[in-house]
């Protein structure tokens, strides 16, 4: 697909960008905010049987393949894209996986809460809503805790992407 998508001028420009980092705080914040917004939407979409994380990972893998081929065409090194992205990409994927787990636990909370809300065996003195909340709140707390951990990992990945990945990838590319 990269052969059809990119023109030779775009590939030359991409080759330049692949070798250069600007060490910009603004660029880092843009990357972090964008990735965190994707993870937030993925988290809430995960309550629909994991739709968000599956879609996010498929798009991420597809775009990684296209850009990997573009890097190979531009630079002649088929592994340069991997060298430039594997350091922060590991943490981005870990964050997506953590957020998908958090979303599945959120889905579990919603299902259990509704089930216990309408179950006659849980209709005690406090009322259905409070009893259902007391029984299931640990699932919501676990979901939020894992989600916050996933966001922290994504913030770390954004820092790596802006300041460390490209110099590290260039060092590895120079050695190998």
């Amino acid at each position: 697909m990269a052969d059809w998508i990119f023109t030779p001028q775009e590939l030359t420009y991409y080759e330049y960008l692949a070798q250069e980092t600007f060490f910009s705080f603004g660029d880092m914040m843009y990357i972090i905010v964008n990735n965190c917004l994707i993870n937030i939407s993925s988290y809430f979409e995960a309550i629909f049987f994991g739709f968000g994380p599956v879609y996010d990972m498929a798009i991420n893998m597809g775009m990684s393949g296209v850009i990997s081929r573009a890097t190979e065409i531009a630079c002649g090194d088929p592994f340069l894209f991997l060298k430039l992205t594997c350091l922060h990409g590991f943490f981005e994927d870990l964050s997506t996986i953590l957020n998908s787990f958090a979303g599945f636990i959120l889905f579990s909370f919603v299902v259990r809460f509704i089930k216990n809300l309408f179950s006659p065996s849980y209709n005690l003195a406090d009322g259905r809503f409070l009893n259902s909340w007391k029984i299931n709140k640990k699932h919501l707390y676990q979901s939020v805790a894992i989600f916050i951990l996933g966001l922290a990992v994504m913030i770390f990945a954004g820092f790596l992407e802006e300041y460390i990945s490209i110099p590290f990838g260039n060092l590895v590319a120079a050695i190998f």
Side-chain angles (χ1 to χ4, degrees), residues 51-147:
F51 167 75
V54 169
Y55 177 77
D56 186 29
M57 290 299 278
I59 292 297
N60 196 6
M61 288 185 289
M63 287 308 297
S64 294
V66 168
I67 300 300
S68 174
R69 176 66 178 148
T71 307
E72 178 185 356
I73 294 170
C75 305
D77 183 3
F79 298 105
L80 182 62
F81 177 75
L82 184 61
K83 294 171 190 171
L84 294 173
T85 60
C86 73
L87 185 64
H88 73 270
F90 171 78
F91 292 103
E92 284 183 0
D93 291 341
L94 176 64
S95 175
T96 302
I97 291 168
L98 285 172
N99 284 324
S100 66
F101 286 149
F104 290 134
I105 294 171
L106 180 64
F107 174 73
S108 173
F109 165 76
V110 169
V111 169
R112 290 172 188 236
F113 182 82
I114 292 172
K115 178 184 166 196
N116 292 337
L117 188 65
F118 294 108
S119 176
S121 61
Y122 292 110
N123 190 12
L124 301 173
D126 290 343
R128 291 179 183 230
F129 185 83
L130 288 176
N131 283 326
S132 183
W133 171 256
K134 286 178 184 177
I135 293 167
N136 298 302
K137 66 182 176 183
K138 67 180 178 185
H139 295 289
L140 181 63
Y141 294 155
Q142 290 172 351
S143 174
V144 170
I146 294 171
F147 174 69

